[in-house]
Amino acid sequence: MGDNLKIISNIFRKGNLNDLCFTFFKGNLLIKKKDDNITIPIFDDIKKLNIKYENEFFIGTIDKKSCFAVEAVGEVDLLGDFEIIPLYEFGSFVKEELFLAAGRATQILNWDKTHRFCGKCGSKTENKNDEIAKVCPNCNNVMYPVICPAIIVAVINGDKILLAHNKGFKNNKYSLIAGFVEAGEDLESAVKREVFEEVGIKIKNINYYTSSPWSFPNSLMIGFTAEYESGEIKVDGEEILHADWFTKDNFPNIPDKFTLARKIIDSFTDKQLEI
Ligand SMILES: [Zn+2]
């Protein structure tokens, strides 16, 4: 153990040449690739590549190695082993802690970009120096990184699991039912509502499974399992184009290994979830 991302939100420091630097170019991540080994560049690489940036945010440590997030300004001529790839692709290639750190980095940078001005009075904001937050010098409004909770649920019916094809999914992919939690709503109600809205069935025995950040762009996915209660599948036709019950022997194309959806599906496959 010891190589998880350890989030630190109240210590401010500058990066040293050997610290990891999660560098984003308009939402895409700079990586270092040697043979099939993908790593995150260190500040020394950033310096050698002559990459310019305004702010650096200390986001935590992995195995005691400090991690920083920076948003590059302008273009760069990439030399040798460096590439810029979409964050989602990065998730398929690397250990989970690196993907989670890159996700945290992109969330902080996105928040930085979208909170330059106070939402209350329009003044220019400043970074607070004791936590990751922005403060308005005019009206003292404090703005933290925005995190949007979303639920995702495996609905089980005997030896079958409900999988749905969302119109936004590529390659005819099928996944679990998911959706954002509404203002003023508790998680269990969100689970029931999303399932009913998207596929028209009622569920029972909702149980928390686990959660995972989903940085596309700033969600926290909260995973559940539930049991089918009643009703026939009837998709909404807007968001969900097709849904059906699948046994583990006839799965369609399902999400990649690093997603929470896949972890819940794999758990169903491995143990036929006890619910
Ligand atoms: Zn203000």
Side-chain angles (χ1 to χ4, degrees):
M1 291 303 285
D3 55 357
N4 289 333
L5 169 66
K6 186 178 178 210
I7 289 179
I8 300 170
S9 66
N10 62 350
I11 297 174
F12 285 76
R13 62 172 73 139
K14 287 277 179 191
N16 293 318
L17 286 179
N18 283 323
D19 290 335
L20 296 181
C21 186
F22 292 81
T23 308
F24 284 83
F25 289 80
K26 297 191 178 89
N28 295 318
L29 179 66
L30 179 71
I31 57 157
K32 199 172 178 179
K33 200 172 175 184
K34 203 131 211 187
D35 302 321
D36 277 340
N37 188 28
I38 291 181
T39 56
I40 289 298
I42 57 175
F43 274 102
D44 193 40
D45 298 317
I46 304 304
K47 204 175 159 192
K48 284 179 182 151
L49 288 167
N50 200 23
I51 291 170
K52 302 275 182 279
Y53 55 89
E54 284 175 20
N55 295 317
E56 59 190 81
F57 292 94
F58 174 56
I59 58 167
T61 60
I62 296 174
D63 204 11
K64 294 189 180 152
K65 229 176 166 29
S66 292
C67 301
F68 289 80
V70 309
E71 175 79 33
V73 179
E75 303 292 322
V76 65
D77 284 328
L78 291 180
L79 307 165
D81 305 325
F82 296 92
E83 261 181 56
I84 296 169
I85 63 168
L87 180 59
Y88 189 88
E89 250 175 57
F90 184 66
S92 317
F93 295 134
V94 295
K95 281 187 181 169
E96 189 170 33
E97 65 269 14
L98 277 186
F99 177 62
L100 290 174
R104 173 160 162 79
T106 192
Q107 289 199 44
I108 300 290
L109 295 170
N110 193 45
W111 160 79
D112 177 52
K113 268 187 280 189
T114 54
H115 291 76
R116 298 273 164 98
F117 296 93
C118 175
K120 261 188 184 170
C121 77
S123 301
K124 212 168 187 316
T125 58
E126 293 168 357
N127 285 324
K128 274 190 92 191
N129 54 21
D130 58 345
E131 57 184 346
I132 295 185
K134 289 182 184 288
V135 63
C136 172
N138 183 49
C139 74
N140 297 323
N141 183 24
V142 178
M143 288 144 275
Y144 292 95
V146 177
I147 300 162
C148 299
I151 58 84
I152 183 161
V153 56
V155 182
I156 312 290
N157 188 359
D159 63 346
K160 298 190 178 75
I161 186 168
L162 180 72
L163 296 172
H165 175 65
N166 184 301
K167 73 172 177 194
F169 292 170
K170 290 176 187 159
N171 305 323
N172 206 28
K173 202 169 270 183
Y174 278 67
S175 188
L176 304 176
I177 299 294
F180 287 107
V181 179
E182 288 286 327
E185 187 173 46
D186 64 71
L187 297 174
E188 288 79 5
S189 302
V191 169
K192 281 185 188 167
R193 178 183 53 74
E194 283 290 341
V195 170
F196 190 74
E197 282 177 5
E198 294 190 356
V199 293
I201 61 170
K202 291 198 168 159
I203 55 173
K204 61 184 180 181
N205 297 333
I206 298 167
N207 281 304
Y208 173 67
Y209 181 68
T210 190
S211 67
S212 179
W214 186 244
S215 305
F216 302 94
N218 56 0
S219 292
L220 171 65
M221 300 293 283
I222 304 140
F224 292 87
T225 60
E227 210 176 329
Y228 168 79
E229 185 176 78
S230 63
E232 292 291 317
I233 293 175
K234 189 172 179 296
V235 295
D236 64 8
E238 300 275 326
E239 196 173 340
I240 302 295
L241 301 183
H242 181 245
D244 211 340
W245 300 104
F246 294 88
T247 63
K248 64 180 168 60
D249 303 318
N250 72 346
F251 276 166
N253 188 16
I254 55 175
D256 293 310
K257 286 273 184 197
F258 66 91
T259 63
L260 177 56
R262 178 61 177 268
K263 284 175 189 160
I264 303 175
I265 294 169
D266 282 353
S267 166
F268 163 78
T269 313
D270 293 346
K271 294 179 281 184
Q272 298 277 297
L273 288 176
E274 289 171 32
I275 54 171

